[in-house]
């Protein structure tokens, strides 16, 4: 019997709802980056990944063109993923510190990783219409993660999407390490995104990211 999360995975992988995103993900998969010229790109929608019983849900923005769009797994095969999975390993959520491809043995315990937009967007900037078209997948995903207690929003985009779905009243300003109470007893923790723009400049450090997941542990006890 197919579980709700498995059904979502099938639908996401087969989705062609947004013409611009479909054209871009496939163009990237054909033109490729020189470093990955011998790779067969996934070049489809990228479903969430992790432990279906997770209490922690990590929400990013969208698959990276030469990361998840190439490997088929969220935050896998790029520098952002290097930071995220290393931090999850230090926090005890991941069985290994690196996530390089979909069959590398990576397993998450008590954590699930997803994004509001399931296809790689040009310049990492989905349109509001693309976000809204894809949003039902995230809504169904979160509904299927019945044990979820904490959502970590990586970046302002994820924060605004989650607040729109679960936030009670006026949305507070985004701030790294900020914690808010959501509907249904969920806790929301804000974090700067693990993009190179933040990690290379020191705006987000390993210690800052470790603190986010320590808070997640405390709030999901």
């Amino acid at each position: 019997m197919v579980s709700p999360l498995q059904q979502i995975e099938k639908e996401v992988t087969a989705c062609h709802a947004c013409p611009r995103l479909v054209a871009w993900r496939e163009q990237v998969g054909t033109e490729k980056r020189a470093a990955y010229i011998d790779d067969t790109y996934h070049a489809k929608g990228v479903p969430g990944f992790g432990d279906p019983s997770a209490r922690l849900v990590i929400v990013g923005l969208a698959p990276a063109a030469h990361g998840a769009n190439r490997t088929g797994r969220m935050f896998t095969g790029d520098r952002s993923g290097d930071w995220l999975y290393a931090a999850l390993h230090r926090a005890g959520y991941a069985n290994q510190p690196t996530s390089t491809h979909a069959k590398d043995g990576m397993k998450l315990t008590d954590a699930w990783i997803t994004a509001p937009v399931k296809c790689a967007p040009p310049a990492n900037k989905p349109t509001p219409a693309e976000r809204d078209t894809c949003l039902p997948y995230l809504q169904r995903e979160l509904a299927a993660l019945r044990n979820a207690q904490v959502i970590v929003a990586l970046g302002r985009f994820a924060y605004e999407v989650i607040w729109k779905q679960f936030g009670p009243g006026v949305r507070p300003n985004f701030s790294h390490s900020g914690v808010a109470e959501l509907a249904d007893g969920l806790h929301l923790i804000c974090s700067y995104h693990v993009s190179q723009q933040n990690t290379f400049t020191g705006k987000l450090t390993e210690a800052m990211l470790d603190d986010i997941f320590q808070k997640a542990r405390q709030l999901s006890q």
Side-chain angles (χ1 to χ4, degrees):
M1 183 174 179
V2 176
S3 72
L5 289 171
Q6 289 171 329
Q7 180 61 35
I8 295 166
E9 178 179 350
K10 286 184 178 181
E11 293 178 26
V12 166
T13 304
C15 188
H16 285 75
C18 300
R20 188 181 78 113
L21 298 189
V22 171
W24 174 249
R25 76 191 189 191
E26 293 179 356
Q27 177 183 336
V28 170
T30 299
E31 295 178 352
K32 304 183 181 181
R33 181 174 283 174
Y36 310 122
I37 195 67
D38 294 326
D39 289 11
T40 299
Y41 275 54
H42 174 74
K44 300 175 184 176
V46 180
F49 166 71
D51 181 354
S53 300
R55 290 178 294 175
L56 168 63
V57 182
I58 301 160
V59 181
L61 191 162
H66 300 281
N69 185 57
R70 174 173 61 89
T71 63
R73 182 199 286 160
M74 285 291 179
F75 283 101
T76 295
D78 59 22
R79 295 292 180 87
S80 296
D82 291 345
W83 268 73
L84 179 59
Y85 284 102
L88 290 173
H89 181 255
R90 292 192 297 270
Y93 288 108
N95 68 324
Q96 59 191 42
T98 58
S99 181
T100 56
H101 58 86
K103 296 182 180 180
D104 61 7
M106 170 62 71
K107 293 189 183 198
L108 298 181
T109 300
D110 208 19
W112 182 269
I113 303 175
T114 188
V117 177
K118 307 298 189 187
C119 292
N124 290 320
K125 292 181 179 179
T127 66
E130 289 163 349
R131 175 202 62 201
D132 293 345
T133 297
C134 207
L135 192 55
Y137 288 130
L138 180 64
Q139 292 169 332
R140 289 167 55 198
E141 213 171 349
L142 293 174
L145 294 165
R146 298 183 179 277
N147 294 331
Q149 296 180 21
V150 178
I151 297 176
V152 169
L154 295 176
R156 188 182 302 273
F157 184 92
Y159 168 62
E160 292 178 353
V161 168
I162 294 300
W163 189 267
K164 186 175 181 180
Q165 296 303 305
F166 299 104
V170 178
R171 186 181 72 222
N173 290 330
F174 174 87
S175 64
H176 179 81
S177 199
V179 178
E181 298 297 320
L182 300 176
D184 300 326
L186 288 169
H187 302 279
L188 174 63
I189 306 175
C190 298
S191 172
Y192 292 135
H193 195 279
V194 287
S195 66
Q196 292 185 60
Q197 180 180 355
N198 292 331
T199 58
F200 277 20
T201 61
K203 184 175 182 179
L204 178 65
T205 65
E206 288 186 357
M208 291 167 65
L209 193 55
D210 289 345
D211 178 65
I212 294 295
F213 293 121
Q214 288 170 9
K215 284 186 176 180
R217 281 283 188 204
Q218 293 167 359
L219 290 171
S220 62
Q221 294 298 327

